[in-house]
Amino acid sequence: MQASDSVLSAVEDGVLKLTLNRPDKLNAFNIEMHVALRAELERACDDTTIRAVLLTGSGRAFSAGQDLSDRDPRKRTAPHDLGHSLDTYYNPAIRLIRDLRKPVVVAVNGVAAGAGANIALACDIVIAARSAKFVQAFSKVGLVPDAGGSWTLPRILGEPRAKALMLTGEPLAAETAAEWGLIWKAVDDVDLLDQAGQLARKLAKGPTIGLGLTKHLIQLAASNTLDAQLDLERDSQRVAGNSADYAEGVAAFLDKRPPVFRGE
Ligand code: LHQ
C-alpha cells in the first residue's frame, strides 16, 4: 500500500517500513509528509499484522527537520504560529511513536537535523550510518529545540552535553552519538539497511504484547518512584503472563525448540 509519495510505505514480514521521501529537500517536513507519516503511524497502531516499524529516509539525508521554505517569514504579513505547527504535526507524531506498543527501529541514513534529529531520537532503537550526523540546528535559525529533543537529550546525555549541542548547533557524529549512549549503534553505511531490517524483522517475530509492555515500562522508569515501577511491573507481568506468546515461549523452552510467537 502506498499512502503518499512523500512517505513510502511497505509491509513485509510483519514490519511496516516507512521511508521519508523528499530527497531533493533532504526529507524536510512539509504538511503532506506530516499527514502521511501520521496516517502510517496510526495504521501501525491499529493493524495487528504490523508488529514492528522501521523508519528511514531516502537519498543522502534522514531528515533536515522542518521545511524552512514553507515557513519563510518574508512571504508572510503576520508571523507563523509555530506552536500551532507543533501541536498539529510534530507533537502527535512523537506521541504516536512513544505510545505505540510495538518496537520502532530507525535507520538514520544521513544527516538528521532539527526536528528530524529529534524524531529519530524518539524511536525505540536508533541505528545510524557511520557517515550520519545529528544536528540540533534550532539555534541557527533562532528557535528552541522541539519534537521532544529538550526532554530526550538532557535525560540521556545530561545537561553539559545537551546544552553544548543545543546552544551551538554543532553536528554530532554517529559514532560519538553511540559512544555517548544517545543511539544504539553506528554501522558501516553499506550495512545500515540490512542490519536495521534484520533487527526489525526479528522484533516483528517477537512476543509483541511483552515487547510493547517492556517499552512502556522503560519509558516510565525515569519519572516513576521504585514503588510505582514495581507496581507497574506487577501489572504488566500479569498482562504478559496471560498472553498466548508467554504460553508458547515456555512450551518452546521446555520442548527445546524455537518459539513461534504470534503477537497475541
Ligand atoms: C532544506 C532544508 C530545510 C528546506 C536542507 N528546509 N530545504 C521549525 C519550524 C516550525 C515548526 C516547528 O519546528 C521546527 C523545527 C525545526 O526543524 S527547525 C530546524 C530546521 N532545520 C534546519 O535548520 C536545518 C537546515 N539545513 C541545514 O542546516 C543543512 O541543509 C544540513 C546540515 C541539514 C545539511 O547540509 P548540507 O549537506 O550541506 O546540504 P545543503 O544545506 O546543501 O542542503 C541541500 C538542499 O536541501 C538545499 O537545497 P538546494 O535547492 O540548494 O539544493 C537546501 O536548501 C535544502 N534543505 N534543509 N530544513
Side-chain angles (χ1 to χ4, degrees), residues 53-105:
V53 176
L54 172 60
L55 178 64
T56 192
S58 64
R60 70 179 178 90
F62 173 71
S63 170
Q66 172 65 39
D67 187 327
L68 295 172
S69 55
D70 260 14
R71 290 282 183 278
D72 186 346
R74 295 167 304 184
K75 295 183 186 155
R76 300 270 303 188
T77 46
H80 284 280
D81 176 0
L82 299 190
H84 177 263
S85 295
L86 293 180
D87 257 348
T88 314
Y89 302 114
Y90 289 96
N91 293 353
I94 299 300
R95 290 189 176 110
L96 279 164
I97 291 168
R98 298 278 295 182
D99 292 346
L100 184 66
R101 294 295 180 94
K102 300 170 186 179
V104 182
V105 176

Short mmCIF file of all heavy atoms in Angstrom, two decimals, residues 53-105:
data_model
loop_
_atom_site.label_atom_id
_atom_site.label_comp_id
_atom_site.label_asym_id
_atom_site.label_seq_id
_atom_site.Cartn_x
_atom_site.Cartn_y
_atom_site.Cartn_z
N VAL A 53 7.99 -1.39 13.39
CA VAL A 53 8.08 -0.32 12.39
C VAL A 53 9.57 -0.06 12.14
O VAL A 53 10.38 -0.08 13.07
CB VAL A 53 7.38 0.97 12.88
CG1 VAL A 53 7.56 2.10 11.88
CG2 VAL A 53 5.90 0.72 13.14
N LEU A 54 9.91 0.16 10.87
CA LEU A 54 11.26 0.58 10.50
C LEU A 54 11.14 1.89 9.76
O LEU A 54 10.47 1.98 8.73
CB LEU A 54 11.91 -0.49 9.61
CG LEU A 54 13.26 -0.12 8.98
CD1 LEU A 54 14.30 0.19 10.05
CD2 LEU A 54 13.76 -1.26 8.09
N LEU A 55 11.77 2.93 10.30
CA LEU A 55 11.71 4.27 9.70
C LEU A 55 13.08 4.63 9.14
O LEU A 55 14.11 4.42 9.80
CB LEU A 55 11.30 5.28 10.79
CG LEU A 55 11.21 6.76 10.41
CD1 LEU A 55 10.12 7.00 9.36
CD2 LEU A 55 10.91 7.61 11.66
N THR A 56 13.12 5.18 7.94
CA THR A 56 14.38 5.63 7.35
C THR A 56 14.11 6.78 6.38
O THR A 56 12.96 7.26 6.29
CB THR A 56 15.14 4.45 6.69
OG1 THR A 56 16.48 4.86 6.38
CG2 THR A 56 14.44 3.96 5.43
N GLY A 57 15.15 7.25 5.71
CA GLY A 57 14.97 8.34 4.76
C GLY A 57 15.54 7.95 3.40
O GLY A 57 16.43 7.11 3.32
N SER A 58 15.04 8.56 2.34
CA SER A 58 15.60 8.25 1.03
C SER A 58 16.66 9.30 0.68
O SER A 58 16.62 10.44 1.16
CB SER A 58 14.51 8.18 -0.04
OG SER A 58 13.90 9.43 -0.18
N GLY A 59 17.63 8.90 -0.13
CA GLY A 59 18.68 9.83 -0.53
C GLY A 59 19.76 9.95 0.53
O GLY A 59 19.97 9.03 1.32
N ARG A 60 20.41 11.10 0.58
CA ARG A 60 21.62 11.22 1.42
C ARG A 60 21.35 11.71 2.83
O ARG A 60 22.28 11.84 3.63
CB ARG A 60 22.63 12.13 0.73
CG ARG A 60 22.26 13.60 0.67
CD ARG A 60 23.38 14.38 -0.01
NE ARG A 60 23.07 15.79 -0.16
CZ ARG A 60 23.38 16.71 0.76
NH1 ARG A 60 23.98 16.37 1.86
NH2 ARG A 60 23.09 17.99 0.53
N ALA A 61 20.07 12.03 3.15
CA ALA A 61 19.74 12.52 4.49
C ALA A 61 18.66 11.66 5.11
O ALA A 61 17.88 11.02 4.40
CB ALA A 61 19.25 13.96 4.41
N PHE A 62 18.60 11.70 6.46
CA PHE A 62 17.41 11.13 7.11
C PHE A 62 16.31 12.18 7.05
O PHE A 62 15.28 11.98 6.43
CB PHE A 62 17.72 10.73 8.56
CG PHE A 62 16.48 10.32 9.30
CD1 PHE A 62 15.85 9.12 9.01
CD2 PHE A 62 15.92 11.14 10.28
CE1 PHE A 62 14.67 8.75 9.67
CE2 PHE A 62 14.75 10.77 10.94
CZ PHE A 62 14.14 9.57 10.64
N SER A 63 16.54 13.34 7.66
CA SER A 63 15.60 14.45 7.53
C SER A 63 16.26 15.73 8.04
O SER A 63 16.92 15.72 9.09
CB SER A 63 14.32 14.20 8.34
OG SER A 63 13.54 15.39 8.39
N ALA A 64 16.04 16.83 7.31
CA ALA A 64 16.59 18.13 7.72
C ALA A 64 15.59 18.90 8.58
O ALA A 64 15.73 20.12 8.74
CB ALA A 64 16.98 18.94 6.50
N GLY A 65 14.59 18.19 9.15
CA GLY A 65 13.64 18.86 10.05
C GLY A 65 12.57 19.60 9.27
O GLY A 65 12.22 19.22 8.14
N GLN A 66 12.09 20.67 9.86
CA GLN A 66 11.03 21.45 9.21
C GLN A 66 11.51 22.00 7.86
O GLN A 66 12.64 22.49 7.75
CB GLN A 66 10.64 22.62 10.13
CG GLN A 66 9.71 23.63 9.52
CD GLN A 66 8.35 23.04 9.20
OE1 GLN A 66 7.82 22.24 9.97
NE2 GLN A 66 7.78 23.42 8.06
N ASP A 67 10.63 21.94 6.86
CA ASP A 67 10.95 22.57 5.57
C ASP A 67 10.86 24.08 5.76
O ASP A 67 9.77 24.65 5.92
CB ASP A 67 9.97 22.10 4.49
CG ASP A 67 10.37 22.61 3.11
OD1 ASP A 67 10.93 23.73 3.03
OD2 ASP A 67 10.14 21.89 2.13
N LEU A 68 12.03 24.71 5.78
CA LEU A 68 12.08 26.15 6.09
C LEU A 68 11.54 26.99 4.94
O LEU A 68 11.14 28.14 5.16
CB LEU A 68 13.50 26.56 6.47
CG LEU A 68 14.01 25.92 7.77
CD1 LEU A 68 15.50 26.22 7.97
CD2 LEU A 68 13.22 26.39 8.99
N SER A 69 11.49 26.43 3.74
CA SER A 69 10.92 27.22 2.64
C SER A 69 9.40 27.34 2.79
O SER A 69 8.79 28.24 2.23
CB SER A 69 11.30 26.63 1.27
OG SER A 69 10.91 25.29 1.20
N ASP A 70 8.81 26.44 3.57
CA ASP A 70 7.37 26.52 3.89
C ASP A 70 7.09 27.56 4.97
O ASP A 70 5.95 27.81 5.31
CB ASP A 70 6.92 25.17 4.49
CG ASP A 70 6.23 24.29 3.47
OD1 ASP A 70 6.35 24.60 2.28
OD2 ASP A 70 5.61 23.31 3.90
N ARG A 71 8.15 28.00 5.62
CA ARG A 71 7.98 28.86 6.80
C ARG A 71 8.73 30.18 6.59
O ARG A 71 9.24 30.76 7.54
CB ARG A 71 8.58 28.15 8.04
CG ARG A 71 7.79 26.95 8.53
CD ARG A 71 6.58 27.42 9.32
NE ARG A 71 5.80 26.33 9.88
CZ ARG A 71 4.90 25.65 9.19
NH1 ARG A 71 4.69 25.92 7.92
NH2 ARG A 71 4.20 24.69 9.76
N ASP A 72 8.82 30.62 5.34
CA ASP A 72 9.61 31.81 5.03
C ASP A 72 8.89 33.06 5.54
O ASP A 72 7.86 33.46 4.99
CB ASP A 72 9.82 31.88 3.51
CG ASP A 72 10.75 33.02 3.12
OD1 ASP A 72 11.00 33.90 3.97
OD2 ASP A 72 11.21 33.03 1.97
N PRO A 73 9.43 33.70 6.59
CA PRO A 73 8.75 34.87 7.17
C PRO A 73 8.60 36.02 6.18
O PRO A 73 7.70 36.85 6.32
CB PRO A 73 9.65 35.27 8.34
CG PRO A 73 10.58 34.13 8.56
CD PRO A 73 10.69 33.41 7.25
N ARG A 74 9.48 36.03 5.15
CA ARG A 74 9.41 37.14 4.18
C ARG A 74 8.14 37.06 3.33
O ARG A 74 7.72 38.03 2.73
CB ARG A 74 10.64 37.12 3.26
CG ARG A 74 11.93 37.40 4.00
CD ARG A 74 13.13 37.07 3.17
NE ARG A 74 13.09 35.68 2.71
CZ ARG A 74 14.07 35.10 2.02
NH1 ARG A 74 15.14 35.78 1.69
NH2 ARG A 74 13.97 33.84 1.65
N LYS A 75 7.54 35.85 3.30
CA LYS A 75 6.34 35.68 2.47
C LYS A 75 5.06 35.86 3.27
O LYS A 75 3.98 35.52 2.80
CB LYS A 75 6.35 34.28 1.84
CG LYS A 75 7.50 34.08 0.87
CD LYS A 75 7.43 32.71 0.22
CE LYS A 75 8.66 32.47 -0.64
NZ LYS A 75 8.95 31.04 -0.79
N ARG A 76 5.20 36.36 4.52
CA ARG A 76 4.01 36.48 5.38
C ARG A 76 3.89 37.90 5.89
O ARG A 76 4.88 38.56 6.15
CB ARG A 76 4.18 35.57 6.62
CG ARG A 76 4.36 34.12 6.30
CD ARG A 76 3.08 33.38 6.24
NE ARG A 76 2.32 33.50 7.49
CZ ARG A 76 1.22 32.82 7.75
NH1 ARG A 76 0.75 31.98 6.86
NH2 ARG A 76 0.57 32.98 8.88
N THR A 77 2.66 38.34 6.06
CA THR A 77 2.47 39.64 6.69
C THR A 77 2.41 39.45 8.22
O THR A 77 2.95 40.25 8.97
CB THR A 77 1.18 40.31 6.19
OG1 THR A 77 0.14 39.35 6.21
CG2 THR A 77 1.36 40.88 4.81
N ALA A 78 1.78 38.35 8.67
CA ALA A 78 1.76 38.04 10.10
C ALA A 78 2.68 36.86 10.35
O ALA A 78 2.87 36.02 9.46
CB ALA A 78 0.34 37.67 10.52
N PRO A 79 3.30 36.79 11.55
CA PRO A 79 4.21 35.66 11.82
C PRO A 79 3.45 34.32 11.87
O PRO A 79 2.27 34.29 12.20
CB PRO A 79 4.81 35.99 13.19
CG PRO A 79 3.99 37.08 13.76
CD PRO A 79 3.19 37.71 12.68
N HIS A 80 4.16 33.25 11.50
CA HIS A 80 3.60 31.91 11.66
C HIS A 80 3.46 31.59 13.14
O HIS A 80 4.32 31.98 13.93
CB HIS A 80 4.55 30.87 11.07
CG HIS A 80 4.54 30.81 9.59
ND1 HIS A 80 3.56 30.16 8.88
CD2 HIS A 80 5.39 31.30 8.69
CE1 HIS A 80 3.83 30.26 7.59
NE2 HIS A 80 4.93 30.96 7.44
N ASP A 81 2.43 30.85 13.48
CA ASP A 81 2.32 30.34 14.85
C ASP A 81 2.99 28.97 14.88
O ASP A 81 2.38 27.96 14.52
CB ASP A 81 0.84 30.25 15.26
CG ASP A 81 0.68 29.64 16.65
OD1 ASP A 81 1.71 29.29 17.28
OD2 ASP A 81 -0.47 29.49 17.09
N LEU A 82 4.26 28.97 15.28
CA LEU A 82 4.98 27.70 15.26
C LEU A 82 4.48 26.74 16.34
O LEU A 82 4.61 25.53 16.22
CB LEU A 82 6.49 27.94 15.41
CG LEU A 82 7.13 28.79 14.29
CD1 LEU A 82 8.65 28.74 14.41
CD2 LEU A 82 6.71 28.35 12.90
N GLY A 83 3.89 27.30 17.40
CA GLY A 83 3.27 26.45 18.43
C GLY A 83 2.14 25.62 17.81
O GLY A 83 1.96 24.44 18.15
N HIS A 84 1.43 26.22 16.88
CA HIS A 84 0.35 25.50 16.20
C HIS A 84 0.94 24.35 15.36
O HIS A 84 0.40 23.24 15.34
CB HIS A 84 -0.45 26.47 15.31
CG HIS A 84 -1.53 25.79 14.53
ND1 HIS A 84 -1.37 25.40 13.22
CD2 HIS A 84 -2.78 25.39 14.89
CE1 HIS A 84 -2.48 24.80 12.80
NE2 HIS A 84 -3.35 24.78 13.80
N SER A 85 2.08 24.61 14.70
CA SER A 85 2.74 23.53 13.93
C SER A 85 3.10 22.37 14.84
O SER A 85 2.95 21.20 14.47
CB SER A 85 4.05 24.01 13.30
OG SER A 85 3.81 24.98 12.34
N LEU A 86 3.60 22.70 16.03
CA LEU A 86 3.99 21.62 16.94
C LEU A 86 2.77 20.86 17.42
O LEU A 86 2.75 19.62 17.42
CB LEU A 86 4.77 22.19 18.14
CG LEU A 86 6.14 22.78 17.79
CD1 LEU A 86 6.83 23.32 19.03
CD2 LEU A 86 7.03 21.72 17.14
N ASP A 87 1.73 21.61 17.83
CA ASP A 87 0.50 20.95 18.31
C ASP A 87 -0.13 20.06 17.26
O ASP A 87 -0.66 19.00 17.57
CB ASP A 87 -0.53 22.04 18.66
CG ASP A 87 -0.62 22.26 20.16
OD1 ASP A 87 -0.07 21.45 20.92
OD2 ASP A 87 -1.25 23.27 20.55
N THR A 88 -0.10 20.56 16.02
CA THR A 88 -0.84 19.86 14.96
C THR A 88 -0.04 18.72 14.34
O THR A 88 -0.63 17.72 13.95
CB THR A 88 -1.23 20.87 13.85
OG1 THR A 88 -1.75 22.03 14.49
CG2 THR A 88 -2.26 20.30 12.91
N TYR A 89 1.27 18.90 14.24
CA TYR A 89 2.04 17.91 13.46
C TYR A 89 3.12 17.18 14.27
O TYR A 89 3.12 15.96 14.33
CB TYR A 89 2.69 18.61 12.24
CG TYR A 89 1.66 19.26 11.35
CD1 TYR A 89 1.61 20.65 11.21
CD2 TYR A 89 0.72 18.49 10.70
CE1 TYR A 89 0.65 21.25 10.41
CE2 TYR A 89 -0.25 19.08 9.89
CZ TYR A 89 -0.28 20.46 9.75
OH TYR A 89 -1.23 21.04 8.98
N TYR A 90 4.07 17.93 14.83
CA TYR A 90 5.22 17.25 15.44
C TYR A 90 4.84 16.50 16.71
O TYR A 90 5.22 15.35 16.89
CB TYR A 90 6.35 18.25 15.74
CG TYR A 90 7.02 18.75 14.49
CD1 TYR A 90 6.64 19.95 13.90
CD2 TYR A 90 8.03 18.01 13.88
CE1 TYR A 90 7.25 20.39 12.74
CE2 TYR A 90 8.64 18.45 12.72
CZ TYR A 90 8.24 19.64 12.15
OH TYR A 90 8.85 20.07 10.99
N ASN A 91 4.11 17.18 17.61
CA ASN A 91 3.84 16.53 18.89
C ASN A 91 3.01 15.26 18.74
O ASN A 91 3.32 14.24 19.39
CB ASN A 91 3.20 17.53 19.86
CG ASN A 91 4.18 18.64 20.25
OD1 ASN A 91 5.35 18.57 19.89
ND2 ASN A 91 3.71 19.64 20.96
N PRO A 92 1.97 15.26 17.89
CA PRO A 92 1.25 13.99 17.71
C PRO A 92 2.15 12.87 17.16
O PRO A 92 2.01 11.71 17.57
CB PRO A 92 0.15 14.35 16.69
CG PRO A 92 -0.07 15.81 16.89
CD PRO A 92 1.28 16.38 17.22
N ALA A 93 3.08 13.22 16.28
CA ALA A 93 3.97 12.17 15.73
C ALA A 93 4.84 11.58 16.83
O ALA A 93 5.00 10.36 16.93
CB ALA A 93 4.84 12.76 14.62
N ILE A 94 5.41 12.46 17.67
CA ILE A 94 6.26 11.95 18.76
C ILE A 94 5.43 11.09 19.72
O ILE A 94 5.86 10.01 20.14
CB ILE A 94 6.91 13.14 19.54
CG1 ILE A 94 7.78 13.99 18.62
CG2 ILE A 94 7.71 12.64 20.75
CD1 ILE A 94 8.94 13.27 17.97
N ARG A 95 4.22 11.55 20.03
CA ARG A 95 3.38 10.77 20.95
C ARG A 95 3.02 9.42 20.33
O ARG A 95 2.98 8.40 21.02
CB ARG A 95 2.12 11.56 21.31
CG ARG A 95 2.43 12.76 22.20
CD ARG A 95 1.15 13.41 22.74
NE ARG A 95 1.50 14.49 23.66
CZ ARG A 95 1.33 15.79 23.41
NH1 ARG A 95 0.77 16.19 22.27
NH2 ARG A 95 1.69 16.70 24.30
N LEU A 96 2.73 9.41 19.05
CA LEU A 96 2.38 8.14 18.39
C LEU A 96 3.54 7.15 18.46
O LEU A 96 3.34 5.96 18.72
CB LEU A 96 1.98 8.38 16.93
CG LEU A 96 0.54 8.86 16.72
CD1 LEU A 96 0.35 9.44 15.31
CD2 LEU A 96 -0.45 7.71 16.95
N ILE A 97 4.74 7.64 18.22
CA ILE A 97 5.92 6.75 18.26
C ILE A 97 6.11 6.20 19.67
O ILE A 97 6.33 5.01 19.88
CB ILE A 97 7.19 7.50 17.79
CG1 ILE A 97 7.10 7.82 16.29
CG2 ILE A 97 8.45 6.70 18.10
CD1 ILE A 97 8.15 8.80 15.78
N ARG A 98 6.03 7.09 20.66
CA ARG A 98 6.29 6.66 22.04
C ARG A 98 5.16 5.79 22.58
O ARG A 98 5.40 4.88 23.37
CB ARG A 98 6.45 7.89 22.94
CG ARG A 98 7.64 8.78 22.56
CD ARG A 98 8.94 8.29 23.09
NE ARG A 98 9.03 8.32 24.53
CZ ARG A 98 10.10 7.96 25.23
NH1 ARG A 98 11.19 7.55 24.59
NH2 ARG A 98 10.11 8.00 26.54
N ASP A 99 3.91 6.09 22.17
CA ASP A 99 2.78 5.34 22.72
C ASP A 99 2.54 4.02 22.00
O ASP A 99 1.83 3.16 22.52
CB ASP A 99 1.49 6.18 22.65
CG ASP A 99 1.54 7.39 23.59
OD1 ASP A 99 2.44 7.41 24.46
OD2 ASP A 99 0.71 8.30 23.46
N LEU A 100 3.08 3.88 20.79
CA LEU A 100 2.87 2.65 20.03
C LEU A 100 3.42 1.46 20.82
O LEU A 100 4.59 1.46 21.22
CB LEU A 100 3.60 2.76 18.68
CG LEU A 100 3.41 1.59 17.72
CD1 LEU A 100 1.97 1.49 17.25
CD2 LEU A 100 4.33 1.77 16.51
N ARG A 101 2.59 0.44 21.05
CA ARG A 101 3.04 -0.71 21.84
C ARG A 101 3.72 -1.74 20.95
O ARG A 101 3.43 -2.93 21.00
CB ARG A 101 1.85 -1.32 22.60
CG ARG A 101 1.24 -0.43 23.65
CD ARG A 101 2.24 -0.17 24.79
NE ARG A 101 1.66 0.68 25.81
CZ ARG A 101 1.07 0.24 26.91
NH1 ARG A 101 0.96 -1.04 27.12
NH2 ARG A 101 0.57 1.09 27.78
N LYS A 102 4.55 -1.25 20.08
CA LYS A 102 5.33 -2.10 19.16
C LYS A 102 6.68 -1.40 18.97
O LYS A 102 6.74 -0.16 19.02
CB LYS A 102 4.62 -2.19 17.80
CG LYS A 102 3.22 -2.79 17.89
CD LYS A 102 2.43 -2.67 16.59
CE LYS A 102 1.00 -3.15 16.83
NZ LYS A 102 0.14 -3.07 15.64
N PRO A 103 7.73 -2.18 18.73
CA PRO A 103 9.04 -1.54 18.58
C PRO A 103 9.15 -0.71 17.30
O PRO A 103 8.68 -1.13 16.24
CB PRO A 103 10.02 -2.72 18.52
CG PRO A 103 9.23 -3.94 18.87
CD PRO A 103 7.80 -3.64 18.64
N VAL A 104 9.79 0.45 17.45
CA VAL A 104 10.07 1.31 16.29
C VAL A 104 11.59 1.42 16.15
O VAL A 104 12.27 1.95 17.03
CB VAL A 104 9.46 2.72 16.47
CG1 VAL A 104 9.74 3.58 15.22
CG2 VAL A 104 7.96 2.65 16.74
N VAL A 105 12.09 0.89 15.04
CA VAL A 105 13.53 0.96 14.74
C VAL A 105 13.71 2.09 13.74
O VAL A 105 12.91 2.23 12.82
CB VAL A 105 14.02 -0.37 14.11
CG1 VAL A 105 15.49 -0.27 13.70
CG2 VAL A 105 13.81 -1.53 15.08
#
